[in-house]
Amino acid sequence: MTTAREAPDILSPEFAADPYSAYRIMLAERPLIWHEAMSSYLVSRYEDVAKAFKEPVFTTDNYDWQLEPVHGKTILQLSGREHAVRRALIAPAFRGSELEQRFRPVIEDNARRLIDGFRHRGSADLVTDFARRFPIGVIVDMLGLDRGDHERFQRWYTSIIAFLGNLSQDEEIAADGMRTRAEFAEYMIPVIRRRRENLGDDLLSTLCAAEVDGTKMSDEDIKAFCSLLLAAGGETTDKAIASLFKNLLEHPDQLAAVRADRSLIPRAFAETLRYSPPVHMIMRQPAEDVELGGGVIPAGSTVTCLIGAANRDSSRFADADKFDIFRTDLPEQTAFSAAASHLSFALGRHFCVGALLAKTEVEVGVNQLLDAMPDLRLADGHTPVEEGVFTRGPASLPVRFTPVG
């Protein structure tokens, strides 16, 4: 009789250095783990994570303590008709003609301005020079906020992400997150009130004016959504672009294929979301006792859904630890919808409302970067290293290229 192997603790340096080795043990032998320090059950298999995202018994009540202290009450905490109405108020700005006609030019302009800062240098760090700044710039411009406050938004975004990923409950990180909530509210509420009195053609004006079945968003609702957009929209796109390039640079044949055929960019993005997702875990809370991962999870418990593990479950994906933009078990046609095969946007009623915005940002950013860097390659001697546990991506990605004349 063999004994199941112990996976490295999720809060350990060993796990932070290489979560994928731990995921392989969890998937094979430890699909359900009680983690005392986090007071949470960890689930790793695809079918279990998908179940936690889709089935109504799994609530987002955990966000009352995980998100609300730093954002205020957000759409992620709502359910039933209240959630449906709020989503109907928000969603139109993130799809169809609103996205393509109003906001694609904003995305293109932000990518171009950042690339202009290094396109003639022949070198860049794709993390610090582009990926980390690009989505925040897009969000600031979409909302019609002051570009001059970019550094302030960058600091708030960093603080919020640190709060959300504070699995060890570091008191200084928690306190900084609370300060950020107060500072962000002090900044945004007056802006929202002024915008209500003088509506424009920006996303903030759209949110101020939106109405469904007689329901409008309050100033606090809009502030909380903007805070959520800043963090969720910034962190995921930041790490997705950096990880996409890391993956392609480590697979030169696939980089060459994408360069030659830009219609492959969505495939490369979808495979990056599966293979090296920006967000490695999302939490849920069952309303009643539920069977999951071969055990029973009590009502009211926190369940940590390990997306980074589920997306590499060999029972769902062939050669799951292999990066392959041409794989046939990850249809690109559904990869940015609630029917996605990967789990990086979640599933069900809380499927990411900004999925198509992220897709557009990645398509625009990757296209412009490839145009500016025709012979893109890693800087000599550099081996990309990922960082992060809650969210994860390359810490740095220095590259060299021949400037385009």
Side-chain angles (χ1 to χ4, degrees), residues 344-365:
S344 295
F345 289 133
L347 295 173
R349 64 191 182 281
H350 287 292
F351 178 81
C352 177
V353 72
L356 291 177
L357 172 62
K359 177 177 181 282
T360 304
E361 288 177 296
V362 169
E363 286 180 329
V364 168

Side-chain angles (χ1 to χ4, degrees), residues 110-111 114-115 118 124-139 150 154 157 233-246 361-362 365-366 369 373 393-397:
N110 271 274
L114 286 172
I115 295 171
F118 59 79
D125 185 324
L126 293 184
V127 172
T128 57
D129 290 333
F130 189 83
R132 195 168 290 163
R133 302 182 65 82
F134 175 49
I136 300 301
V138 169
I139 291 167
H150 187 282
Q154 199 82 31
Y157 144 72
E235 181 76 351
T236 53
T237 306
D238 163 0
K239 287 183 164 50
I241 290 175
S243 293
L244 187 153
F245 272 101
K246 172 185 178 291
E361 288 177 296
V362 169
V366 172
L369 285 165
M373 301 182 291
S396 177
L397 203 60

Side-chain angles (χ1 to χ4, degrees), residues 249-322:
L249 286 162
E250 292 177 337
H251 298 81
D253 56 330
Q254 297 184 59
L255 173 59
V258 172
R259 182 183 296 286
D261 181 2
R262 303 298 176 82
S263 71
L264 293 174
I265 291 174
R267 277 183 170 270
F269 182 27
E271 175 64 348
T272 292
L273 289 172
R274 184 201 68 82
Y275 178 78
S276 50
V279 178
H280 272 235
M281 58 191 72
I282 290 178
M283 297 177 183
R284 291 289 187 262
Q285 189 170 310
E288 59 190 55
D289 293 357
V290 62
E291 292 187 9
L292 198 68
V296 176
I297 296 177
S301 302
T302 301
V303 179
T304 299
C305 302
L306 298 175
I307 296 169
N311 279 346
R312 292 200 183 196
D313 189 335
S314 60
S315 71
R316 181 63 182 80
F317 298 104
D319 294 320
D321 287 321
K322 178 183 178 182

Side-chain angles (χ1 to χ4, degrees), residues 136-378:
I136 300 301
V138 169
I139 291 167
V140 167
D141 282 358
M142 285 178 66
L143 290 169
L145 300 176
D146 187 348
R147 284 183 184 173
D149 290 327
H150 187 282
E151 294 305 323
R152 189 185 300 189
F153 285 107
Q154 199 82 31
R155 176 169 56 81
W156 286 334
Y157 144 72
T158 302
S159 172
I160 292 169
I161 292 301
F163 183 95
L164 299 180
N166 188 19
L167 301 178
S168 61
Q169 298 301 302
D170 183 289
E171 292 183 1
E172 290 187 12
I173 292 175
D176 186 60
M178 298 300 289
R179 284 193 297 271
T180 291
R181 174 178 174 169
E183 290 175 9
F184 189 72
E186 185 179 0
Y187 179 97
M188 281 300 303
I189 294 296
V191 173
I192 293 166
R193 289 172 178 166
R194 290 195 298 270
R195 199 65 52 91
R196 286 192 189 279
E197 296 173 358
N198 186 22
L199 296 175
D201 190 33
D202 52 75
L203 177 58
L204 189 57
S205 296
T206 298
L207 296 174
C208 288
E211 183 173 346
V212 172
D213 295 340
T215 299
K216 300 184 74 171
M217 295 175 72
S218 69
D219 293 352
E220 176 63 26
D221 291 337
I222 294 173
K223 185 273 298 180
F225 177 74
C226 290
S227 178
L228 181 64
L229 178 63
L230 185 69
E235 181 76 351
T236 53
T237 306
D238 163 0
K239 287 183 164 50
I241 290 175
S243 293
L244 187 153
F245 272 101
K246 172 185 178 291
N247 293 335
L248 290 179
L249 286 162
E250 292 177 337
H251 298 81
D253 56 330
Q254 297 184 59
L255 173 59
V258 172
R259 182 183 296 286
D261 181 2
R262 303 298 176 82
S263 71
L264 293 174
I265 291 174
R267 277 183 170 270
F269 182 27
E271 175 64 348
T272 292
L273 289 172
R274 184 201 68 82
Y275 178 78
S276 50
V279 178
H280 272 235
M281 58 191 72
I282 290 178
M283 297 177 183
R284 291 289 187 262
Q285 189 170 310
E288 59 190 55
D289 293 357
V290 62
E291 292 187 9
L292 198 68
V296 176
I297 296 177
S301 302
T302 301
V303 179
T304 299
C305 302
L306 298 175
I307 296 169
N311 279 346
R312 292 200 183 196
D313 189 335
S314 60
S315 71
R316 181 63 182 80
F317 298 104
D319 294 320
D321 287 321
K322 178 183 178 182
F323 178 80
D324 179 10
I325 66 173
F326 298 106
R327 65 171 53 251
T328 58
D329 50 10
L330 186 68
E332 179 253 318
Q333 295 86 348
T334 57
F336 308 99
S337 72
S341 297
H342 65 82
L343 301 174
S344 295
F345 289 133
L347 295 173
R349 64 191 182 281
H350 287 292
F351 178 81
C352 177
V353 72
L356 291 177
L357 172 62
K359 177 177 181 282
T360 304
E361 288 177 296
V362 169
E363 286 180 329
V364 168
V366 172
N367 262 305
Q368 289 198 25
L369 285 165
L370 290 176
D371 287 343
M373 301 182 291
D375 56 352
L376 173 69
R377 58 200 181 275
L378 280 170

